[in-house]
Each structure stands twice: as C-alpha cells, then as structure tokens.
Amino acid sequence: MVMPEGSAAAPAKAPFDLAYAASALIDGKGTIVGWTAAAEHLLGHPAAEVMHRPAALLLASPEQGAGAAKMAAQWQDQDIWGGLVAARHRDGRRIELGLRVSALTAPDGAERWLVSAIDLARTPSWAVSSAILESFLSRSPIGMAVLNPDLRYVWLNDTLERFGGVPREHRIGMRMADALPGMDTGALEAIMREVLLTGEPAIDHEFQGWTLAAPYRERSFSTSFYRLDDAEGRMLGVCYMAMDVTDRWRARARLALLNEAGACIGSTLDVTRTAQELADVSVPRLADFVTVDLLEPVLRGAEPPTGGALGEVPLCRAAMRSVHPGTPESIVALGERINVGVTSPHVRCMASGRSEMEADIAIDRASWLTKDPARAAKIREFGMRSVMWVPLRARGTVLGVVTFVRHRRPGSFEQDDLLLAEELTARAAVCVDNARRWTREHEAALTLQRSLLPQTLAGGTALEVASRYLPTDIQDGVGGDWFDVIPLSGARIALVVGDVVGHGLTAAATMGRLRTAVHTLADMDLPPDELLAHLDDLVMRLTEEETADPSVAAAVTGATCLYAVYDPATRRLTTARAGHPPPAVVDPSGRVTFAELPAGPPLGLGAMPFESAELELAEGSIVALYTDGLIETSGEDIDVGLGRLTHALAHPELPLQELCSAVLERLLPGPPADDVALLIARTHALTADRFVAWDLPLDPAVVSEARALAARRLTEWGLEELLMITELIVSELVTNAIRHASGPIRLRLIRQSVLICEVYDGSNTVPRLRHARTTDEGGRGLFLVAQLSRRWGTRYTADGKVIWAEQEIPDIGRD
C-alpha cells in the first residue's frame, strides 16, 4: 500500500474506532480489489466504478499520488501504520480522511492491504483531534520515535531528528546502534526489550553521549519508553520520548563539583596542599590540565603586593594536575618560578581582577606567546585548544592565578565553564588565604617560641645535657611546651620543663612569661617547692589581670611545671612538680624508675601546697624530663606510653643526642599530636680535687686562718692570680658571718669554670648591701665583695644561709 507524499504516517498511535470506518482491500500493485458499502457511503463511488482500478484515483490531487512510489518503499516492511490523507468525493468534494493500513496475506499468498478510513469531519470529536495530535507529535519539543518489535525505527518526529543530527530517511528501518554511533545504544535497547517483554513503561531514564548534531559537546537526554498495542492487544512496537536535559545535567554536574570542592578544598591549613586540592578537583571534570601559580610572598605567609606591583612579584608554581601522568604539559616544576611577561594573560587578569578566556587558542595571533616559545611549543605538542585564566582572589587581595586548559576533551570552554571555574577558584581562594594567614601566624609563633626557648644548654661540669623540641603538626599549631637548664650558685644546676595549655601565639607568649618568671625565681635560689608556690601565685595574678581576654586566662591556668635542682657536691636531686609527669631516672646499669614525687596541682589553681622530694643519684645516672605529648596517645592509657619510654631509656651507654633520637623514634613514629619537649641529663659528681670545705669557730681570730687556708688551696689549683681578691672576699664574708650570724661557720671553695667562695652560717638574717658614707668606719664589706666578684648572692638552707661569690678563672687556670 502506498501513501501520498506529505502524510504523517506512523504505527497506529491515534484513537481509531472501526465502528466509524469504511474499508477497502488493495493488492500489492495499488489496485482496489475489495470495496464495502461503508466505503461507497463515504466517497460516493459504487463498487462497480472503483473495483480493479488504481486506488490513487481516489486521492484529492495528482500531486499526492506522485509521491506514492517513494512512500511505498519507505513503509513496505511495516505491518500496520496509519496517517492522514485528503480524498475526492464522487461529487467533487474534498474529504479529510484518517487511515489505518494493515498488511494481509491472501490464501494464494498474494500481498493485500486492508485500508480503513474515517471522515474526520463526521466522526466524534476525539477522532477529529487526531489531526491535531499528528501535528503535535511532529512539532512537539519532545523528541518521539516508534520502533517495531525488532527495534527498528518506523517513525520519528522532527525534534528527535534534530537531537540526533541524522536525517529521518537514514534512520527509518535502522537499529539505534547503526543510526546513533555516539550513544550508548546497548543500554537503551536493553530497556526497550524489557518494556516490550513486560509491558511496564520505563520513565525518566537519563543518559549522556555525543551526537552528530553537536559532536564536540556532550549532551544529556531524559527518555521514557512504553509499549504500543493495537485494539486487540497485539504488540505493535515501542514508543520512546526524549527530552534534552543537557542544561539541567550540566547544572547538576556543576553543583556536584562545587559540593565536592567544598568538601575537598581546604582540608588542611597548608597553602600548597590547598592549591593542589583545587587542581585535583578540577581535572578531568572541568579541564584536562590545571595549574595554580601563587605570588611568592603568599607561599611564605606574607601579605602579597597590590596594584601595579603585581607584575614585579614572581609567580611560583604551587600546584598542577593533568590527565597525563607526570603533568608533561608544564614547562616548570612545582615550586619553581614561572616566567610570564607583564602583558601575559596571567598578569592581566591578576591586575584587573577579571577572568580571561580563549575559547580557541590562536598561537600565531597570541601576542603573549611570541615572547614565550617554550609555552607555545607545549601548546602545539599537546594540541591545547581552549584556555581560561582566573585570578585567585580573596578579601580584595590577589593571591595568584589559576589556568584551566583543554586539549584531550572535545569542545572548547564556554561561558558556563568560566562561571564554574570562577566559583571553584573563589572558594579555593578563601581557603588559600586562610592557610596563608595561618602560615604567617604559625611562623610567628614558631619564631617567638624558638626565641623564648634556650638557644644553648649549659650544664657545666655537673651535668651533660641534650634536648629535643618537636612542634605539633600543622593542624594544631605551636604549643606552649618549654624546657630550661639554669646554672645556680654552688655549682648546682636547675632542670625545668613545663607545658602551657593550648596552641598558637597566646600559648607561646604565656610560655615566655612563665619561663622568665622561673628564671627570676631561680635566681633567688629558692627551693623547688617554694619556687612553684611563687609561680602558682604569679599564674593566679595573671589570670585575674587577663579577665578581658579569656584565651590568655585559659592558656595560663592549668599550666604544668617540673623543677629539679641537682647538686654535684652531694649528688642529690631535689624535685617538685605542679601537675606534671614525674621524671625518669636511669641508673648506670640501665634500670629505669620514675621518681615518686607528690603530684601537686597544676599552676593557677591554688588548691594545695607543693612538696619537694630528694633523690641521691649515682655517678653517671640519667635524668629525663618530658612533657605529656611524648607519652600520651589518643585512645591509649598513659601507662602504655610510660612503658615505651622505659624501654627507650634503658640504654645509658648511648651518647645523649643518640638517646634523645632513640626515644623520639620509639615513642613518636609519626607527627606528634601535641608539642613534645624532652630534656635528658647525665649527672657528674664533684671530685675531691674540685672542692674543699672547712668548719670555722665563731672567733674573729679565725679570719686570718681562713685567708691562709684559701690561699694554700688556690696555690695548689694554680690560681695564684686570684689570691689577693679571694683573700679579700674570704675575709669579708667570714668576718660578716662572725659579726652578724650565729652557729657554726663553714667555708667552701669550688673550682669549676668559675671559682666559687661560700660561707655557711646558722642565721636567717638577710645581708644588706650598703653604700657607706665617707665618714663611716664600716659597712663596706659586701659592697667590696659585689665589686670584686663576677656575681654574688644569698641562699637559704634548712639550718641557716649561705653567702656566695663567684670569680672568673683566667684561661691559664682552666682545665
């Protein structure tokens, strides 16, 4: 059966009630071989006039008949189809008919077509609407197609033809895979087979692909499928509808990328890591090659320049990512400076604050490439076709520039891509600026803390010392841990370790205040328990003064400290602690113990008094002081950390520096979660040839004997150059003790890097340095001692006090 050209034939898709239809039978040559009374009633021709005549004579115009042969070839493989046609009534009237054509086979095997027609003007309103429906199907903005049970196209509308970019005549009778090579047609055909099998429609199946209509732009379609059945329930084929949802899909993809960027970018406070996260999230979903170049001061945490100075500050490659392993597109390595001219897009977009895009790179016409042959060569090598430059800007400050390049992905950048790149860069810029500001504060805090920590540790002849300080990882910042070694009078050495609550500049500054206070109190020769009591009072006073700044009060309250004094003359270690872990003591055989000390409350609580404890150490013992960051691990009991420390310290034969390294390696396999301070000391005792002591009676006549005893000892030590001054100091101190003190007197000389003269007495009275008038006969003794000695002072003991004075030993007398 042939149809007139221009008719919109399709498998019976519109309502068609045979109760209103006239029927005729036509053979394979288009000749009428059957005619019903209804057909005669419809067109006015009796059977005798039309039988065995061409059916084309019934058409309204010869023009429609001219296309019959062409349409016959198109529909010859279809069993049922329909459409609209204009016929001529016997009285000459034009009648608009709706047709349904069904293929039949005669008993002799000849081909027959049963044509059923209705008069659209006289049929019910729903039948008349089929013309409107046909127009709607053809012109609908939704693509539609009908496929037979073999999944071959039998009809499609104009919209679907435009979607695919394949002409209708090239798709009719073809499978999807043959007609649409850029689509994943296997998945679509699997869905249609399921629909044909079950009769259940498949709604809103979304897929992406490239079509001939837009070969360089990936598109997304939402499709729905339902089965077509005739009035008798026979399966005719499957209809699918497709809607171009590329804009929705791209918007959803952009939103997903932005959400992912929000979760990925800024996971750390490291500038280069944040820049790398921006590059990683952009490839390959937005670009094939991305570079992040930052102004050099930004990498250091400094403030970047503004205005015209931007072009004078070098850019450094902070991050890059490519679809190719190793980012071969880059002409510089990470961390290196990039060479860009002031007229390059990099500098232009930073200076203006506006993004630039070259949808299609024209190497020959790009002035910025004429002076950069290396970059031009890379563009040619990798076929870079499209590029965007977006300034990395946050809080009104330009930090650098991000370059997005496409070379493998088909299609150039579009305006939507530029908007997405700007949004990604804006989010990353805030994170980079936060990291930059944190880096600046972190470096300032580290510098402050390092300046507040001792630069050198002087243990003298009493102690051999080594230390380690590890700042916390980059997430938590600088803490308030500190340690110190303080020389005291009488060849004694104070060991200090402490920990301030919190991190950052506030903690570092608070640590500095406490360390200074400990130095001041130590210079007063206070016992450890009294020193901590004074330090506790200071912390409470600081807390009261800093009520306007809760961070300072929080940092200082709860600080911990351990203060120990080692006397090499007696080999005794006197220790007190304020909420701090106890020291570890290692004897020469390698046995490790933790000193049993009263814990004491942390500083600033003022709850309980502090107590001291004394330990007598063997020559060569090791004392280890540390902060809780060394032994405390999240999720583990503190005893586990103390056990590991015990095993690590059980090697007293090691040099102290090696022992420090061994302790850290065993207890800290990774970056510490808190600051760690470790101070290790090996004790030495004063040998008999290093000090001497004499007990003296309370008799003024003994002063000359004391001078003589001191002179003989200095001669034995080869310190004759100090005889005169030492005799004067001994004379004044012994005389002062006899005149103003009580109880027994002891004179002691100690030879170390300095010469120490000490006089013990049983009085607690405080000696005062007086400035005698010219008419006074006395009162100049301590003034002379202060003038002649390197330094002098007083310390108290359990049964009295000691007045001491130090003198520098000439180089010739040192050993």
Side-chain angles (χ1 to χ4, degrees):
M1 179 65 184
V2 293
M3 287 299 299
E5 184 177 6
S7 64
K13 60 190 179 306
F16 199 100
D17 193 340
L18 294 179
Y20 298 91
S23 300
L25 190 64
I26 302 174
D27 65 12
K29 298 180 180 180
T31 303
I32 298 174
V33 295
W35 191 256
T36 64
E40 180 179 351
H41 178 74
L42 178 63
L43 296 178
H45 294 283
E49 293 182 5
V50 297
M51 287 294 289
H52 306 294
R53 300 187 65 184
L57 296 176
L58 299 177
L59 300 178
S61 63
E63 290 79 8
Q64 292 193 21
K70 179 178 179 181
M71 296 300 293
Q74 178 176 329
W75 297 102
Q76 62 182 353
D77 295 331
Q78 309 306 317
D79 296 330
I80 301 175
W81 54 279
L84 305 178
V85 68
R88 182 71 62 186
H89 194 272
R90 190 169 184 273
D91 61 11
R93 290 183 291 110
R94 181 184 177 94
I95 301 176
E96 298 294 335
L97 301 179
L99 298 184
R100 175 171 175 168
V101 183
S102 303
L104 300 175
T105 303
D108 59 359
E111 185 180 24
R112 296 288 188 270
W113 297 93
L114 176 62
V115 180
S116 302
I118 58 174
D119 185 352
L120 297 179
R122 297 184 178 183
T123 53
S125 58
W126 59 264
V128 176
S129 65
S130 57
I132 302 175
L133 180 61
E134 177 67 25
S135 176
F136 163 74
L137 293 175
S138 297
R139 302 179 183 178
S140 170
I142 299 176
M144 299 180 185
V146 176
L147 289 82
N148 66 13
D150 292 332
L151 300 184
R152 295 181 180 274
Y153 283 99
V154 298
W155 179 85
L156 70 156
N157 69 353
D158 297 341
T159 303
L160 194 67
E161 183 179 15
R162 290 195 303 270
F163 284 171
V166 180
R168 181 182 283 106
E169 56 270 20
H170 292 166
R171 292 172 70 169
I172 297 300
M174 303 286 288
R175 296 282 296 271
M176 293 185 75
D178 301 325
L180 301 172
M183 294 288 185
D184 182 13
T185 55
L188 295 178
E189 289 189 348
I191 295 174
M192 288 189 284
R193 290 191 185 95
E194 183 70 17
V195 170
L196 288 172
L197 178 65
T198 65
E200 294 293 330
I203 308 299
D204 197 20
H205 172 76
E206 192 167 320
F207 69 96
Q208 292 78 41
W210 283 268
T211 67
L212 293 178
Y216 298 110
R217 187 173 187 264
E218 190 174 16
R219 301 172 72 182
S220 179
F221 298 94
S222 174
T223 56
S224 297
F225 307 86
Y226 61 92
R227 194 174 73 183
L228 295 174
D229 297 322
D230 62 12
E232 290 78 20
R234 293 181 301 174
M235 181 177 65
L236 303 177
V238 62
C239 176
Y240 81 82
M241 296 180 292
M243 182 170 61
D244 191 341
V245 293
T246 302
D247 291 341
R248 184 183 75 181
W249 169 66
R250 289 172 65 87
R252 192 166 59 233
R254 289 194 297 269
L255 182 60
L257 182 57
L258 289 175
N259 288 338
E260 182 179 338
C264 297
I265 300 175
S267 62
T268 67
L269 286 171
D270 180 80
V271 172
T272 55
R273 179 58 193 160
T274 303
Q276 187 61 51
E277 288 168 346
L278 170 59
D280 292 343
V281 81
S282 302
V283 176
R285 295 167 67 176
L286 177 60
D288 299 323
F289 175 50
V290 172
T291 63
V292 182
D293 302 315
L294 299 179
L295 293 168
E296 200 169 57
V298 174
L299 294 171
R300 303 193 304 267
E303 287 289 339
T306 58
L310 281 173
E312 302 174 1
V313 179
L315 281 167
C316 293
R317 180 62 45 84
M320 55 185 174
R321 181 66 182 270
S322 170
V323 292
H324 297 301
T327 58
E329 301 96 326
S330 179
I331 60 175
V332 298
L334 285 176
E336 292 184 359
R337 291 183 176 183
I338 66 169
N339 181 26
V340 291
V342 294
T343 60
S344 68
H346 305 75
V347 177
R348 284 202 312 267
C349 75
M350 286 194 300
S352 65
R354 294 187 297 272
S355 304
E356 295 191 15
M357 179 176 70
E358 286 192 17
D360 297 293
I361 301 176
I363 299 178
D364 298 333
R365 297 193 302 271
S367 59
W368 60 279
L369 288 175
T370 57
K371 297 180 180 180
D372 196 349
R375 197 180 305 274
K378 286 288 185 180
I379 292 175
R380 291 189 180 94
E381 178 183 354
F382 289 94
M384 300 180 188
R385 65 170 61 89
S386 191
V387 62
M388 299 184 295
W389 296 272
V390 181
L392 197 69
R393 183 171 181 166
R395 302 180 178 96
T397 301
V398 175
L399 308 173
V401 60
V402 185
T403 306
F404 300 85
V405 179
R406 278 184 182 171
H407 54 74
R408 189 172 72 176
R409 181 173 177 169
S412 301
F413 285 120
E414 300 174 356
Q415 190 63 32
D416 286 347
D417 297 317
L418 182 60
L419 293 176
L420 176 59
E422 289 176 340
E423 181 64 25
L424 284 174
T425 303
R427 295 190 179 195
V430 174
C431 297
V432 170
D433 193 49
N434 289 340
R436 177 191 66 81
R437 291 167 179 255
W438 188 91
T439 300
R440 180 181 60 188
E441 179 180 338
H442 184 67
E443 289 298 325
L446 279 177
T447 301
L448 174 62
Q449 188 173 42
R450 287 166 181 161
S451 66
L452 294 174
L453 290 173
Q455 305 303 308
T456 58
L457 298 176
T461 58
L463 293 174
E464 176 188 351
V465 292
S467 65
R468 290 289 189 278
Y469 171 73
L470 294 181
T472 187
D473 62 11
I474 195 169
Q475 288 284 3
D476 297 322
V478 176
D481 292 12
W482 90 92
F483 57 88
D484 222 332
V485 177
I486 306 173
L488 301 177
S489 63
R492 298 170 307 137
I493 300 294
L495 301 174
V496 191
V497 67
D499 187 2
V500 170
V501 178
H503 301 279
L505 283 172
T506 300
T510 303
M511 175 270 289
R513 299 169 78 174
L514 294 182
R515 179 172 179 259
T516 302
V518 170
H519 265 269
T520 302
L521 295 171
D523 198 49
M524 297 170 63
D525 272 325
L526 296 175
D529 54 341
E530 292 185 24
L531 184 143
L532 291 182
H534 283 285
L535 192 61
D536 186 57
D537 292 339
L538 172 64
V539 169
M540 288 191 291
R541 188 163 59 252
L542 290 176
T543 304
E544 295 171 357
E545 293 174 355
E546 299 292 348
T547 55
D549 190 349
S551 63
V552 176
V556 71
T557 302
T560 65
C561 183
L562 187 148
Y563 185 82
V565 176
Y566 175 69
D567 188 344
T570 61
R571 292 185 286 106
R572 287 187 174 274
L573 182 72
T574 307
T575 310
R577 61 178 176 142
H580 204 84
V585 178
V586 187
D587 65 19
S589 67
R591 186 173 67 92
V592 181
T593 59
F594 292 93
E596 296 183 0
L597 304 177
L603 298 173
L605 302 182
M608 297 173 60
F610 300 96
E611 299 181 44
S612 296
E614 281 193 356
L615 301 172
E616 185 172 347
L617 304 179
E619 169 84 14
S621 296
I622 290 177
V623 180
L625 282 66
Y626 50 89
T627 56
D628 55 5
L630 181 67
I631 58 173
E632 290 185 356
T633 304
S634 177
E636 289 187 351
D637 189 82
I638 191 173
D639 291 337
V640 177
L642 291 175
R644 287 199 293 262
L645 180 60
T646 299
H647 291 293
L649 288 172
H651 301 282
E653 73 282 358
L654 291 176
L656 292 190
Q657 294 294 347
E658 294 183 16
L659 186 58
C660 282
S661 299
V663 169
L664 295 182
E665 289 175 4
R666 185 176 183 88
L667 274 76
L668 299 173
D674 192 9
D675 276 17
V676 172
L678 174 64
L679 180 62
I680 297 181
R682 178 178 279 119
T683 64
H684 299 290
L686 282 177
T687 57
D689 61 340
R690 288 285 180 174
F691 75 102
V692 63
W694 300 278
D695 291 326
L696 304 175
L698 283 173
D699 184 355
V702 80
V703 175
S704 60
E705 181 182 352
R707 288 197 299 267
L709 291 172
R712 284 197 296 270
R713 177 57 64 168
L714 261 64
T715 301
E716 293 175 4
W717 284 343
L719 300 177
E720 290 84 355
E721 293 185 13
L722 300 179
L723 277 176
M724 181 180 297
I725 295 177
T726 304
E727 286 180 344
L728 180 57
I729 291 174
V730 169
S731 179
E732 293 296 336
L733 294 183
V734 172
T735 299
N736 189 74
I738 292 173
R739 181 173 298 179
H740 301 289
S742 61
I745 300 174
R746 173 176 290 183
L747 171 64
R748 187 168 77 163
L749 297 179
I750 301 175
R751 178 193 177 190
Q752 279 192 311
S753 58
V754 294
L755 177 64
I756 304 172
C757 177
E758 297 180 336
V759 175
Y760 294 74
D761 63 54
S763 172
N764 288 323
T765 58
V766 180
R768 293 188 299 115
L769 181 66
R770 296 175 53 194
H771 294 274
R773 291 172 295 183
T774 57
T775 57
D776 292 343
E777 294 184 1
R780 296 179 175 85
L782 289 180
F783 179 78
L784 289 174
V785 171
Q787 294 296 313
L788 296 175
S789 61
R790 175 175 173 265
R791 63 181 187 135
W792 75 283
T794 304
R795 71 174 181 272
Y796 293 91
T797 64
D799 53 1
K801 69 176 182 295
V802 179
I803 303 178
W804 54 271
E806 292 181 358
Q807 299 177 70
E808 292 283 0
I809 295 179
D811 292 340
I812 193 173
R814 296 179 182 178
D815 55 18

